[in-house]
Amino acid sequence: MDISRGIRRCNQVLKIIITGPESSGKTTLCSQLSTYFKYPLVSEYAREYIDQLDRSYNKDDLLEISKEQRNREFSGGKILLCDTDLITIKIWSLFKYNSCDEKIIDQIEMQKLEDRFYILCEPSIPWKKDNQRENPNDRERIFELYKKELDSLKYNYIIVNGSENARLEKCTKVIQEITKYI
């Protein structure tokens, strides 16, 4: 498979999105890759937003989260590493509320005009509890939702699994390949 298929290599920013179910190593991998390549890192806004609430989040909060997450993707740099994106919010909303705000879906459609490459983290590492994690037993099913969504949107992506070192090694090779002409 040609992993650089569809990457336009023009004046657009290339966004490399680390995605997958909760507790699958996304944030750790994104941070490691940002350090390794010295690329700007777009952090996951949902954690910040939910941490500042004095109540449980609800479906309306997901729209607010999506707006800021999307805004952060325009933070500069020729190549950005993004710790999740709107696809995560869509899957989260569908899984938890059985629906997703049309504004989020419309923004996901607009993203198809951008250069985006996805790294999908398989939930092959142990689940770690924290106050925002909700699905220790559904990670495989949610992982399949990510694959289905990325396939339906026709994005290029790779799946990473195994140890932290194995994931990092695979990702560095792939990113070097897709960015060598940028």
Side-chain angles (χ1 to χ4, degrees):
M1 173 174 100
D2 179 10
I3 57 172
S4 61
R5 173 183 53 86
I7 304 295
R8 291 185 284 276
R9 294 186 179 89
C10 59
N11 291 328
Q12 282 193 32
V13 172
L14 171 61
K15 296 174 183 174
I16 301 170
I17 295 90
I18 315 300
T19 196
E22 66 182 25
S23 194
S24 60
K26 298 180 299 290
T27 300
T28 299
L29 180 59
C30 201
S31 177
Q32 290 171 326
L33 291 169
S34 178
T35 299
Y36 182 88
F37 286 107
K38 309 288 188 266
Y39 296 152
L41 171 64
V42 177
S43 62
E44 179 185 18
Y45 179 63
R47 288 197 160 270
E48 294 173 43
Y49 183 92
I50 292 171
D51 277 347
Q52 58 87 27
L53 290 177
D54 59 358
R55 58 173 170 76
S56 296
Y57 74 89
N58 59 50
K59 186 178 176 196
D60 292 336
D61 291 317
L62 298 183
L63 182 58
E64 294 306 311
I65 292 167
S66 72
K67 288 175 188 175
E68 178 60 21
Q69 189 68 45
R70 183 77 175 130
N71 286 340
R72 288 180 177 203
E73 288 188 16
F74 296 98
S75 59
K78 192 74 173 155
I79 301 170
L80 290 177
L81 284 163
C82 302
D83 182 356
T84 75
D85 73 345
L86 299 187
I87 290 173
T88 296
I89 297 169
K90 177 184 177 184
I91 289 171
W92 182 9
S93 186
L94 289 172
F95 190 81
K96 186 165 176 115
Y97 300 108
N98 295 313
S99 66
C100 182
D101 190 295
E102 284 299 317
K103 292 175 185 163
I104 295 171
I105 293 169
D106 291 345
Q107 283 298 307
I108 290 170
E109 281 300 312
M110 295 285 294
Q111 290 175 170
K112 290 166 68 175
L113 300 172
E114 301 172 4
D115 279 344
R116 301 175 84 82
F117 182 82
Y118 286 80
I119 297 171
L120 176 56
C121 294
E122 192 174 290
S124 57
I125 60 175
W127 186 80
K128 291 182 182 173
K129 181 175 177 38
D130 78 21
N131 292 338
Q132 292 188 20
R133 293 187 177 146
E134 303 173 353
N135 298 298
N137 301 316
D138 294 316
R139 295 186 315 147
E140 283 297 328
R141 192 171 91 182
I142 295 170
F143 174 78
E144 292 301 322
L145 294 174
Y146 277 94
K147 279 179 35 181
K148 183 178 177 184
E149 184 72 13
L150 292 172
D151 287 340
S152 119
L153 292 168
K154 297 181 174 36
Y155 277 122
N156 290 334
Y157 69 95
I158 60 165
I159 295 172
V160 294
N161 56 27
S163 71
E164 209 174 274
N165 287 340
R167 290 169 181 239
L168 182 59
E169 184 177 330
K170 180 175 184 177
C171 289
T172 55
K173 287 178 184 175
V174 167
I175 291 170
Q176 286 168 341
E177 180 63 27
I178 64 174
T179 61
K180 66 183 172 186
Y181 300 109
I182 294 178

